[in-house]
Amino acid sequence: MPLIALTTVALLALCIAADGSNATITRTDGGTREGYITVTGGRVWFRVLGAESPKTPLLVLHGGPGATHDYLEPLATLADERPVVFYDQLGCGNSDRPDDPTLWTVERYVAEVGEVRDALGLSRVHLLGQSWGGGLAAEYVIAQKPDGVESLILSAPLLDTDRWVADQRANLAAFPDEMQEAVREAEASGNFDSPEYQEAMAAYYARHLCRTDPWPECLNRTFEKISLPVYLGMWGPSEFTCTGTLREFSVAGQLAGVPVPVLFTCGKHDEATSEAMAYYRSLVPGSELAIFNGASHSHHLEETDAYLAAVREFMRRVDAAD
């Protein structure tokens, strides 16, 4: 494995030095590198932590769609052992936000993952996706069949839109009738600013999105920066209805063909239900599932130490078996 002898720093340096490189570093601070990568449609922002480590990097794909990397910042702890690479998908966070709804497609975001890898010289990588990022990671491996992906870590992934919507509707049915009616009225009228709808969603999120009170600062930061054009264009008006480009999304039928080790994770109270995750695990030979009993969709924030330990141990085992 001669490429492993090159650290991520060396690969980045080669990338930056090359004529016509798609990556530009704007900040270097010890083992941290930040900058921008030119992808189809604009530039995306990235940050590499632990860049001097020679171990296989972890590339992190955030959810949303339309969220940012911020709420996944606890994964930076893993940079004590290997490079950890964050980036904000196009239209999100620190990246360019072009006014072009034709860019908000699964296919373009899949291509973006490859463009980021190429620009940063990530010839070998562990790929972690959370929520929509999990579906993106799975689709990237299935559709592109890329070389060098050592493992997939799918944290509360969106893998089938119909199943996801059905699970959210089932979750909603466990709430009081007046809350359900507030959601129905908002979806019918298009008025998602009503106090009744906002209260209903706050209650839903407190049970199924993040159960800590107050929410961690990094999650609040992501919510403050959510890209509504991307969320509305890819998903739709609410958590319970998909009208965007993800409305027919499903990789469930192709999961058996994933050729790398897979770790699924979820919380017991997750939007990505433990029953759904157990089903997806059954479709991937040799895959693993970690369920965090006191947690929900943000189990990496609610049970951070246990989550990081599970991810760290999984990657170590994959590295050792290589």
Side-chain angles (χ1 to χ4, degrees), residues 78 292 303-316:
L78 300 173
F292 299 89
E303 297 192 18
T304 301
D305 291 345
Y307 174 81
L308 292 177
V311 171
R312 187 189 296 274
E313 194 270 337
F314 175 73
M315 289 192 294
R316 283 176 177 174

Side-chain angles (χ1 to χ4, degrees), residues 1-7 11 54 123-124:
M1 296 179 288
L3 281 175
I4 294 301
L6 291 172
T7 67
L11 290 168
S123 58
R124 297 167 66 89

Side-chain angles (χ1 to χ4, degrees), residues 85-128:
V85 184
F86 297 101
Y87 76 95
D88 286 335
Q89 296 158 26
L90 188 69
C92 306
N94 299 319
S95 295
D96 288 349
R97 298 193 176 205
D99 184 16
D100 183 358
T102 67
L103 295 169
W104 317 140
T105 66
V106 174
E107 294 77 15
R108 199 212 60 80
Y109 280 110
V110 165
E112 181 179 281
V113 177
E115 291 172 315
V116 168
R117 285 189 65 196
D118 289 345
L120 297 182
L122 301 174
S123 58
R124 297 167 66 89
V125 70
H126 295 283
L127 196 55
L128 185 151

Side-chain angles (χ1 to χ4, degrees), residues 64-289:
T68 72
H69 78 285
D70 300 75
Y71 76 104
L72 294 168
E73 284 179 352
L75 288 163
T77 298
L78 300 173
D80 65 347
E81 190 166 285
R82 67 183 70 245
V84 176
V85 184
F86 297 101
Y87 76 95
D88 286 335
Q89 296 158 26
L90 188 69
C92 306
N94 299 319
S95 295
D96 288 349
R97 298 193 176 205
D99 184 16
D100 183 358
T102 67
L103 295 169
W104 317 140
T105 66
V106 174
E107 294 77 15
R108 199 212 60 80
Y109 280 110
V110 165
E112 181 179 281
V113 177
E115 291 172 315
V116 168
R117 285 189 65 196
D118 289 345
L120 297 182
L122 301 174
S123 58
R124 297 167 66 89
V125 70
H126 295 283
L127 196 55
L128 185 151
Q130 196 275 339
S131 196
W132 141 247
L136 174 59
E139 178 69 10
Y140 170 68
V141 168
I142 292 166
Q144 298 291 319
K145 298 178 173 58
D147 293 333
V149 176
E150 300 297 300
S151 76
L152 284 179
I153 300 152
L154 304 179
S155 291
L158 166 67
L159 299 178
D160 183 279
T161 294
D162 286 345
R163 176 68 184 259
W164 185 278
V165 169
D167 285 342
Q168 304 328 299
R169 294 285 177 179
N171 287 340
L172 182 62
F175 284 86
D177 290 343
E178 58 269 25
M179 175 178 158
Q180 298 180 51
E181 181 60 26
V183 171
R184 284 192 292 268
E185 288 183 2
E187 292 192 327
S189 66
N191 179 18
F192 296 98
D193 295 325
S194 71
E196 294 80 9
Y197 178 77
Q198 294 300 320
E199 289 176 9
M201 290 311 302
Y204 189 83
Y205 286 152
R207 184 178 299 180
H208 294 295
L209 180 74
C210 184
R211 296 166 71 87
T212 65
D213 185 17
W215 279 6
E217 186 274 334
C218 62
L219 181 59
N220 285 323
R221 208 181 327 134
T222 282
F223 262 72
E224 290 167 0
K225 296 191 286 187
I226 285 284
S227 172
L228 286 179
V230 176
Y231 182 81
L232 293 172
M234 295 194 73
W235 188 254
S238 78
E239 291 290 288
F240 313 104
T241 300
C242 183
T243 58
T245 56
L246 281 167
R247 62 187 176 275
E248 296 181 357
F249 178 73
S250 179
V251 296
Q254 293 80 47
L255 287 175
V258 173
V260 299
V262 178
L263 171 64
F264 294 95
T265 75
C266 69
K268 186 65 176 177
H269 309 282
D270 211 314
E271 291 182 286
T273 66
S274 55
E275 293 81 8
M277 294 303 104
Y279 170 66
Y280 295 136
R281 180 198 179 186
S282 75
L283 300 178
V284 185
S287 63
E288 304 175 27
L289 171 61

